[in-house]
Amino acid sequence: MPVNIVAPYLLTALLRGPRRLVYLSSSSHFGGHPSLNGVDWRGLSAGSYSDSKLFVTALAAAVARLRPGVLSNAVDPGWVPTKMGGPSAPDDLELGHRTQEWLATSDDSEALTTSGYWYHRQRQQPHRAVHDEGFQDRLLQTLAEETGTAL
């Protein structure tokens, strides 16, 4: 939780004036549960990777809603061969970062959209909780309380 959602939340809250934000999600977010009960935000006990990726994907959508001048998107780089993914991961490591770079820098009309969940430059439908404004608001309120920093 500290790495996958608390840090992105704090960086977002503390940055002034970004035009584009790209959050690192995962297809694992589909296995996440939109419940904030019992979450160890400090990471003293093992948390759910899937939950953390659902939370950061919802953060991206919340920022898109609450900061209309900022393009905010979440990217699933795929299951790539890294230390975490392992050597037999099926996705292409090169493709893993290309969508992030494209969303951060491109002037293509598709890259100039917001509130998307992307996989290899294709917009995908995320977990249904991602665009639930009530869940987004509860997540932001909880993170503000946990960090002492409001978005």
Side-chain angles (χ1 to χ4, degrees), residues 9-22:
Y9 170 82
L10 275 172
L11 288 169
T12 301
L14 297 173
L15 279 173
R16 298 290 172 238
R19 294 185 323 213
R20 300 181 192 199
L21 295 168
V22 181

Side-chain angles (χ1 to χ4, degrees), residues 17-18 24 32 34-35 47-48 70 77 82 97 114-115 119 122-123 138 150:
L24 187 57
S35 173
S48 165
V70 176
T82 61
H97 68 84
T114 194
S115 196
Y119 172 74
Q122 298 295 314
R123 195 170 177 138
R138 288 188 304 277

Side-chain angles (χ1 to χ4, degrees), residues 5-18 21-23 56 59-60 62-64 67 70 72 140 149-151:
I5 181 60
V6 175
Y9 170 82
L10 275 172
L11 288 169
T12 301
L14 297 173
L15 279 173
R16 298 290 172 238
L21 295 168
V22 181
Y23 296 87
V56 78
L59 172 63
V63 170
R67 294 186 176 172
V70 176
S72 177
L140 295 178
T149 306
L151 186 66

